[in-house]
Amino acid sequence: MAQATTDRSLSRRGMLKLAGAAGAGAGAIGAATETASAVPTAPKGGFAHPALLHTQADFDRMAEKVKAGAQPWTDGWERLLSSRDSATDYLPRPVATVIRGGEGANVHLLFRDTAQP
């Protein structure tokens, strides 16, 4: 008798459920242990970036290290300042349709726009 095969690939919904469960478990573990920096929380009535993991205390610590000339913080800061992807005068070039590969490819514009601060 032939054995039925099952598709073990995870749907998008299943992936999101799994990620949510993992996040809840990680939050419980993080709350139970002492960490080097505080877990970021949304400011009251403000916006909390869903992917930004640094707290204000982290930024303050990095600024102190750069001000003191400590390595590797100073080298990292210099690389950030010299990168064309962190230019404050960059003007985004949005397009109506993103084309990846072939004639008229413009996906590079999307990548540059999303890399800007």
Side-chain angles (χ1 to χ4, degrees), residues 2 5 11 15-16 29 31 34 53 74 84 86 93 116:
T5 60
S11 69
M15 181 67 86
L16 291 173
I29 291 168
E34 197 166 322
L53 302 177
T74 303
R84 71 180 186 146
S86 65
R93 297 174 287 172
Q116 298 309 311

Side-chain angles (χ1 to χ4, degrees), residues 56-69:
Q56 186 59 49
D58 293 329
F59 289 119
D60 293 343
R61 178 181 44 79
M62 288 182 266
E64 288 174 19
K65 295 288 189 179
V66 170
K67 203 177 284 186

Side-chain angles (χ1 to χ4, degrees), residues 24-51:
I29 291 168
T33 60
E34 197 166 322
T35 58
S37 68
V39 175
T41 59
K44 293 180 182 175
F47 172 75
H49 194 285

